[in-house]
Amino acid sequence: MHKHQLSVSSLIAASLIATSFLLPLAPALTETSDLKEVNNIPITGSGDPQLEPILQSLTEFMRHRCVGAAVLGVSVKGKPVGVWGLGRMNGRPTNNWDAACGDDMNAPLAPVVPPNTPMRIGSISKPVTFAMVRWALKKVAKDKAGLELTDEQIEGLKLFDPQHYPPLIPGTNKPYPVAIIPKDVYGVFSGKVKYSVAIKDGFKYGGNKDKEKLCADLTSGYADRQWQSVTLGHFLSHRTGLQRSAPNLENDIVPNLPIIRKLTTKADFKNQENLISKQWGSQTINSAKNQLGLNSDKNGYFIPEITLSETMMVLAGRCLRYPLGKYSYSNTSPAFPTIILKELMASGRYGADLLGKPETHKGSALQVFFQTQLGVTTTATEGVFITPGVQNFPGDREPKKRHWNGKNYYGTQWDVKRPHCLWTGNLCDFTSWIDKKPGTINWSGNLQQVPFPYSGSGIISPGTGSLAVEPKAFLKFMSEYWVGGYDSNPYIGEKRNNTWTRYTGHTGAYDGAYTWAIHLGGSNNPKNWKLPPRDQQGRILDVFDKEKLQTYQTSLPDGVDIFVAVNQWADRKCVEADRVNTKEKGYNCGDAYGLLNKFILYGASRVNWVQVNTIDDISN
């Protein structure tokens, strides 16, 4: 690797030392100074050796939590100082492994994780989406009308103002130069057109049943009037009044597709199936129908998957439970920013179609944004891209996802992505499709179970949580845009403008993926946090019970960005501990994995940052 001769000594005036008690720095890993192995976990990649304490902490977390694979990227003031892959692409990372983890110790060790390994980032997809929608709105406004929009004006756009379509630009009497919401969607949410499907409120969508009340059912047939005052900024800060979860794909949306699409006759459903045949070929469709026992022409039909706009149309029949402006985290909030992105792009796409069509990535919002704004080349499976709902994306470039299900880490589920119905009487019945076993056909047209620890029906858009990133590419994004800031200015997705004195971060999680993106800097850097106890050498011990956590006080540097991702969110040890002692000791998977960022911060506090050099070229 190549290094600059100039160190980043301007970053910090002295080495970082714990303020509550003295602990030695992590022992120099002289026998592994090339970073090929730490804590018996293999490591690939390159970076400044001074960063070994962070790797030490991460590998300790991996061993304690039975994590098979991870990636880590660190940069200082926008300059990378290290990118690594840790562990192995499948199973346990080493033969020196805790039998309590539940891994098959007789299975051969898999290949090591390369440093350019893409990892799914869950909800960290949100800051990417919010940065892209700000960029696209500014670019189109300038290209179409010569307007220079501010972030404040973008956040103030009232998307469903019944008096203005497109919305007025705040502070002016000018409308945005092009439509940014589909006309039919605008009509329903602005109260001009009745919604077609009513979904009753329920705590299955989120909320605290002991402290909150369900909102009244809508009886007028029109969307909640609160939508008429909702701004784009409300979506970007989770303040629209939306509950946490979207309508359920299997029960709320797909069975109502005939209503949403106005499908009433066999001919209507046949025309829908023709659209699928054009994508996949009639032979594939007929083969899939044969597997389901459906006549190829008479009584069963495949129809195109639900679109994001159609999902929102179902949402229009549900009340907004919270007052406008009240913070309530919602995985549905990124839906309309994602729709806006698609409307503004000439390609009409956020990223590559999730139908195995990598050629559709070109011209998408992801491709254009990362190429023009960050100089990062992306493809349908490289850099930053949308992941498919199944376990692994093409090419086997990501580690196999792990999630302890009570028996092993690699469960299977029925893939729920391809809707179909059976014509009975005078309607098309989706019961067979909803009953996943054996009525579900996956994208490839096969009737089979797939390795699928996470059910993708809960992710309603790529903007919500289905992106994957390579560490180096995401460090570049972090150097230019804020990954956090829902309640403070600058807000999430705004440009960073070479500001290095602010602390914020974002996490992303679902079964088989857990990720943190952290900006360090300024007076709001964490001053203390809780961790399991440490030994005399400063190594963190495998003691995750809440009652045994210890407060650690320290100081952290300015301008350091850290991206870390692991390939699981539950292990045998935390699952079994949760069953027996949650109430007594507070040891469960959510709390255990919630300490990952604390492990990383602890490692960062033990780095002698005065000695750290930036790296000209991080090798892959």
Side-chain angles (χ1 to χ4, degrees):
M1 62 186 178
H2 304 285
K3 302 177 182 177
H4 290 298
Q5 295 301 311
L6 179 64
S7 72
V8 291
S9 57
S10 60
L11 188 66
I12 305 174
S15 300
L16 298 175
I17 303 174
T19 58
S20 60
F21 51 85
L22 295 178
L23 279 176
L25 290 174
L29 304 174
T30 55
E31 72 280 12
T32 58
S33 60
D34 56 359
L35 304 181
K36 290 183 178 179
E37 187 178 272
V38 174
N39 275 321
N40 297 117
I41 292 176
I43 297 179
T44 64
S46 59
D48 192 292
Q50 295 292 334
L51 300 176
E52 288 175 357
I54 304 179
L55 286 161
Q56 180 86 29
S57 291
L58 177 54
T59 53
E60 287 165 4
F61 181 87
M62 292 175 68
R63 291 192 69 89
H64 299 336
R65 294 272 52 92
C66 309
V67 171
V71 295
L72 174 68
V74 182
S75 63
V76 176
K77 294 189 175 179
K79 303 294 184 181
V81 293
V83 174
W84 298 275
L86 301 90
R88 297 183 183 273
M89 298 296 285
N90 189 8
R92 68 194 187 285
T94 175
N95 282 326
N96 180 16
W97 202 236
D98 188 351
C101 289
D103 284 282
D104 180 0
M105 299 301 291
N106 293 318
L109 292 174
V112 297
V113 176
N116 65 335
T117 296
M119 298 285 273
R120 306 191 192 207
I121 59 174
S123 288
I124 302 179
S125 303
K126 294 179 176 71
V128 177
T129 300
F130 297 166
M132 288 198 299
V133 78
R134 293 176 188 275
W135 154 76
L137 283 164
K138 291 177 182 179
K139 176 173 174 51
V140 172
K142 185 173 183 179
D143 291 347
K144 297 290 185 181
L147 298 173
E148 298 280 355
L149 296 191
T150 65
D151 282 303
E152 290 75 16
Q153 286 176 314
I154 287 172
E155 292 158 5
L157 292 171
K158 286 189 175 182
L159 303 184
F160 311 113
D161 181 349
Q163 306 303 317
H164 300 97
Y165 179 80
L168 284 183
I169 299 171
T172 75
N173 61 355
K174 298 178 180 179
Y176 192 81
V178 300
I180 59 176
I181 296 292
K183 186 73 172 181
D184 58 341
V185 176
Y186 166 80
V188 171
F189 282 88
S190 65
K192 295 179 177 294
V193 179
K194 287 188 175 183
Y195 58 81
S196 57
V197 176
I199 301 295
K200 291 184 178 180
D201 191 18
F203 285 112
K204 63 182 179 181
Y205 302 117
N208 188 328
K209 63 181 179 180
D210 296 325
K211 297 181 180 180
E212 300 176 10
K213 293 181 179 180
L214 300 179
C215 63
D217 295 336
L218 295 175
T219 57
S220 66
Y222 290 94
D224 193 324
R225 290 180 61 86
Q226 185 167 293
W227 285 108
Q228 298 176 24
S229 300
V230 168
T231 67
L232 179 55
H234 287 131
F235 284 111
L236 301 183
S237 60
H238 297 280
R239 298 178 191 278
T240 61
L242 284 167
Q243 295 96 313
R244 185 176 183 90
S245 300
N248 181 269
L249 178 68
E250 293 99 312
N251 300 317
D252 297 335
I253 302 176
V254 170
N256 286 307
L257 279 179
I259 298 173
I260 299 169
R261 295 178 181 173
K262 298 180 173 61
L263 309 175
T264 59
T265 68
K266 280 189 176 183
D268 293 334
F269 285 93
K270 182 61 177 176
N271 288 335
Q272 288 275 295
E273 186 169 277
N274 288 339
L275 298 174
I276 297 290
S277 295
K278 289 179 180 179
Q279 290 178 312
W280 292 93
S282 58
Q283 183 175 354
T284 299
I285 298 303
N286 289 336
S287 174
K289 294 175 79 169
N290 287 335
Q291 291 187 65
L292 291 171
L294 303 176
N295 291 334
S296 59
D297 295 321
K298 295 182 179 179
N299 67 341
Y301 301 95
F302 285 100
I303 63 176
E305 70 279 4
I306 187 77
T307 68
L308 188 55
S309 290
E310 287 171 334
T311 300
M312 294 300 99
M313 294 288 261
V314 173
L315 189 74
R318 196 172 78 187
C319 296
L320 290 168
R321 188 187 300 160
Y322 310 110
L324 185 63
K326 179 181 178 180
Y327 176 84
S328 178
Y329 192 90
S330 171
N331 282 320
T332 316
S333 279
F336 278 111
T338 301
I339 289 172
I340 291 171
L341 271 173
K342 292 181 177 181
E343 290 293 299
L344 293 175
M345 299 305 298
S347 66
R349 292 189 296 273
Y350 182 106
D353 291 341
L354 293 181
L355 300 175
K357 297 182 179 295
E359 67 274 10
T360 61
H361 180 77
K362 187 175 182 180
S364 68
L366 278 175
Q367 190 267 324
V368 177
F369 172 79
F370 275 90
Q371 183 64 55
T372 63
Q373 303 304 297
L374 297 171
V376 172
T377 299
T378 64
T379 70
T381 57
E382 298 174 307
V384 180
F385 53 94
I386 302 176
T387 64
V390 294
Q391 166 71 8
N392 279 63
F393 41 79
D396 294 324
R397 294 191 59 235
E398 67 171 333
K400 190 172 183 180
K401 300 303 173 207
R402 293 161 57 91
H403 191 86
W404 186 259
N405 62 10
K407 297 180 179 179
N408 57 60
Y409 287 99
Y410 306 110
T412 59
Q413 293 185 17
W414 290 96
D415 196 346
V416 298
K417 295 189 299 298
R418 186 185 297 285
H420 67 267
C421 57
L422 178 66
W423 187 267
T424 56
N426 59 355
L427 56 84
C428 214
D429 183 8
F430 287 88
T431 301
S432 174
W433 179 82
I434 294 173
D435 182 13
K436 304 183 191 69
K437 185 180 180 180
T440 302
I441 292 290
N442 64 26
W443 287 133
S444 64
N446 296 321
L447 180 62
Q448 61 184 9
Q449 283 189 309
V450 294
F452 198 60
Y454 173 72
S455 176
S457 62
I459 294 183
I460 61 169
S461 76
T464 295
S466 60
L467 293 184
V469 305
E470 295 177 7
K472 188 176 178 181
F474 199 72
L475 283 178
K476 181 64 176 175
F477 174 82
M478 292 180 68
S479 73
E480 298 289 340
Y481 296 90
W482 294 112
V483 297
Y486 285 118
D487 58 357
S488 60
N489 194 7
Y491 293 103
I492 184 171
E494 288 190 29
K495 283 198 169 185
R496 194 168 177 176
N497 295 323
N498 292 315
T499 299
W500 311 110
T501 54
R502 183 187 183 213
Y503 170 83
T504 189
H506 209 295
T507 186
Y510 54 77
D511 297 355
Y514 192 72
T515 311
W516 267 97
I518 306 169
H519 297 301
L520 291 178
S523 60
N524 62 336
N525 260 346
K527 304 299 188 297
N528 60 74
W529 54 81
K530 289 189 174 182
L531 278 173
R534 294 158 296 278
D535 64 17
Q536 291 301 311
Q537 286 71 44
R539 295 187 179 93
I540 304 170
L541 302 177
D542 186 7
V543 183
F544 281 74
D545 294 351
K546 274 186 177 180
E547 63 181 13
K548 296 180 180 178
L549 299 183
Q550 298 179 1
T551 299
Y552 178 59
Q553 295 179 326
T554 188
S555 59
L556 291 166
D558 291 340
V560 172
D561 294 337
I562 302 174
F563 172 74
V564 60
V566 299
N567 68 329
Q568 67 188 49
W569 195 25
D571 56 75
R572 179 183 179 182
K573 293 194 294 183
C574 67
V575 169
E576 293 183 352
D578 189 21
R579 290 172 179 165
V580 298
N581 67 4
T582 297
K583 293 182 180 179
E584 293 79 10
K585 299 183 179 180
Y587 182 14
N588 58 66
C589 291
D591 289 336
Y593 283 79
L595 294 177
L596 172 60
N597 65 320
K598 308 300 193 301
F599 273 70
I600 297 301
L601 295 180
Y602 172 68
S605 74
R606 305 175 78 210
V607 171
N608 187 342
W609 290 96
V610 175
Q611 301 293 324
V612 174
N613 293 288
T614 59
I615 310 298
D616 286 324
D617 180 34
I618 295 292
S619 63
N620 288 331

